[in-house]
Amino acid sequence: MSGDIVFFDLPGKDAEATTKFWQTLFGWEFKAGNFPGYSMIHGPSPMGGHSHGDTSTFPRVYFGVDDLDAATERIRELGGTAGEAVTIPSGRFANCVDDQGVEFSIFQAAGAEG
């Protein structure tokens, strides 16, 4: 398991306001995502996304793993929770919570071992 941050999601109730703020602050470019209500953020490293209408108050980070199934099992063994795996064109991810209640996600790139 690498544990490197490989992606992030910015929440925002108002998609236009969120885009304007982050474009003005950092010069990031927002482009249509793979599904309605989602934008990809180009510019930062790692790349990020923006979920329109999301009322969360903190960005969500995605940690890279080589084997999503093994990682979700390990999270549960350590007292955390791991949601069901979601498959997207670039790979698979699961939303998780550690044993202290901190939310995060894990991501396995398409074609990675597992």
Side-chain angles (χ1 to χ4, degrees):
M1 262 182 248
S2 74
D4 291 338
I5 296 175
V6 296
F7 192 78
F8 68 94
D9 262 329
L10 284 178
K13 294 178 271 190
D14 180 330
E16 186 176 322
T18 299
T19 298
K20 181 179 178 184
F21 181 88
W22 293 99
Q23 278 182 334
T24 303
L25 181 63
F26 292 131
W28 293 346
E29 184 178 357
F30 287 66
K31 296 182 178 182
N34 293 333
F35 52 89
Y38 197 80
S39 297
M40 299 303 297
I41 304 170
H42 298 268
S45 180
M47 188 166 69
H50 164 51
S51 189
H52 307 179
D54 185 340
T55 59
S56 301
T57 58
F58 295 97
R60 176 178 290 273
V61 295
Y62 290 73
F63 297 97
V65 296
D66 298 325
D67 184 331
L68 191 85
D69 297 324
T72 57
E73 184 177 317
R74 184 69 178 137
I75 289 164
R76 292 174 183 137
E77 288 171 359
L78 294 170
T81 60
E84 294 298 314
V86 176
T87 301
I88 57 176
S90 57
R92 299 169 61 218
F93 72 91
N95 294 325
C96 305
V97 180
D98 76 5
D99 65 339
Q100 302 295 303
V102 176
E103 296 180 18
F104 65 99
S105 295
I106 54 176
F107 176 78
Q108 177 184 331
E113 296 291 321

